[in-house]
Amino acid sequence: MAVSENLSEPGDARGGRLPDPRAVLTLLKPVTWFPPMWAYFCGVVSTGAAFGAHWEQILLGVLLAGPLVCGMSQAANDWCDRHVDAINEPHRPIPSGRVPGRWGLWIALVWTALSLALGWALGPWAFGATALAVLAAWAYSAEPIRLKRNGWWSAGVCGLSYETLPWITGAAVVTAAAPDPKIFAIAILYGLGAHGIMTLNDFKSVEGDVRFGLGSLPARLGVARAARVACWAMAVPQAVVVALLWLWDTPWNAAIVAVLLLGQLALMRRLMTDPKALAPWFNGTGVVLYVLGMLTSACALHLIGRG
């Protein structure tokens, strides 16, 4: 079947149907919401703010970071990638026809508007961060910018958007002020480390990326070299976090992050034996250790702020 025959294009006869609600949820990819939600929560923890006094800002911020902004980015990406997905993953909602016609685009646009509205309601810090995240999401996927043509840029933008931006936003929203420079430093380091996580996510789409000229790192460098880059990208920022936490007189937190990093390094050795096949396994093991390190670092920042 030709690619164009397997897509829900505006002129497709299927375009008049309403999308299956389950397919819409699949389009928004709930499994991807966790990283920005977790990062927002880490931002709140890092300030030492009392949860009880800020529960509305925490709840709405988590909703904003995950189901709205991240969900919007997933819908936008699937709409812009529908031709590539017809090769790599034809079962996805848009190429399979379960989200017909232009519904994928309309969902992305409505979720963009809802994200900006909730960001506005949470205050200037949240609105500014939401606007930046929305711009990054569309720049990542849509023409003419389409940052995902270059895996170096695309993985970096995703990492900073998934980890750094929500972390800083969570800290700023509950304090109504610019976060401490130490919070900025740790949030940026974990965002840089997420470059490696995003590179591993690209292993599943190498064939379509090559065919359509998308320069993901696995397509550019080959799977083995891209896996090595991903491992270094994850490990080096965490090593810097360990050093900073030690210098900031939180040795126990530094030790915990170091142990979690050593665990990731052990898992990375196995990953390198078959990176494409084992990337999903690493995402379920090594990335868990990575996010536990994020929370440990957030708790260290809390202790530093109290001191």
Side-chain angles (χ1 to χ4, degrees):
M1 180 180 291
V3 172
S4 60
E5 295 173 342
N6 195 35
L7 295 173
S8 300
E9 293 291 353
D12 193 333
R14 296 171 295 179
R17 293 191 294 108
L18 293 175
D20 181 346
R22 292 171 297 181
V24 173
L25 185 61
T26 301
L27 181 70
L28 299 174
K29 296 187 187 67
V31 71
T32 66
W33 300 348
F34 173 76
M37 292 166 66
W38 184 257
Y40 185 93
F41 176 73
C42 287
V44 173
V45 170
S46 66
T47 66
F51 287 5
H54 300 280
W55 69 270
E56 289 186 29
Q57 293 167 311
I58 296 170
L59 180 61
L60 292 176
V62 167
L63 175 66
L64 175 65
L68 287 180
V69 174
C70 187
M72 173 277 302
S73 72
Q74 298 301 326
N77 184 62
D78 270 26
W79 172 257
C80 296
D81 267 9
R82 59 198 186 280
H83 301 91
V84 181
D85 288 341
I87 297 173
N88 289 326
E89 298 175 277
H91 60 277
R92 282 191 171 186
I94 294 175
S96 69
R98 289 179 293 136
V99 175
R102 289 184 175 268
W103 273 102
L105 175 60
W106 302 134
I107 291 168
L109 292 174
V110 169
W111 248 246
T112 297
L114 290 174
S115 299
L116 292 169
L118 182 53
W120 179 269
L122 279 170
W125 283 98
F127 180 73
T130 302
L132 184 58
V134 165
L135 288 172
W138 283 103
Y140 174 84
S141 299
E143 299 289 356
I145 300 175
R146 200 155 166 75
L147 290 172
K148 67 185 306 175
R149 287 198 192 96
N150 186 317
W152 297 104
W153 283 104
S154 61
V157 167
C158 282
L160 293 171
S161 298
Y162 270 63
E163 307 295 358
T164 302
L165 191 57
W167 187 314
I168 292 171
T169 304
V173 166
V174 296
T175 59
D180 184 275
K182 291 183 175 66
I183 293 177
F184 269 101
I186 297 299
I188 289 171
L189 285 166
Y190 276 108
L192 293 174
H195 188 293
I197 300 173
M198 300 304 164
T199 297
L200 293 177
N201 287 338
D202 286 334
F203 285 179
K204 65 182 182 295
S205 57
V206 177
E207 292 80 8
D209 289 350
V210 171
R211 176 168 174 176
F212 283 94
L214 295 178
S216 65
L217 291 191
R220 281 173 174 260
L221 305 178
V223 169
R225 288 179 64 195
R228 287 194 292 272
V229 169
C231 292
W232 279 105
M234 290 182 66
V236 171
Q238 290 180 88
V240 177
V241 168
V242 171
L244 289 177
L245 296 183
W246 182 271
L247 291 173
W248 294 339
D249 295 323
T250 52
W252 287 108
N253 298 75
I256 293 170
V257 176
V259 170
L260 292 170
L261 175 56
L262 290 174
Q264 291 169 67
L265 293 174
L267 296 172
M268 286 172 184
R269 290 189 64 181
R270 185 186 175 200
L271 171 69
M272 290 305 304
T273 63
D274 189 352
K276 186 173 182 180
L278 292 174
W281 165 80
F282 186 85
N283 284 336
T285 54
V287 174
V288 171
L289 301 182
Y290 187 91
V291 300
L292 289 175
M294 291 173 61
L295 183 58
T296 303
S297 301
C299 292
L301 292 166
H302 178 186
L303 293 173
I304 294 166
R306 289 174 56 186

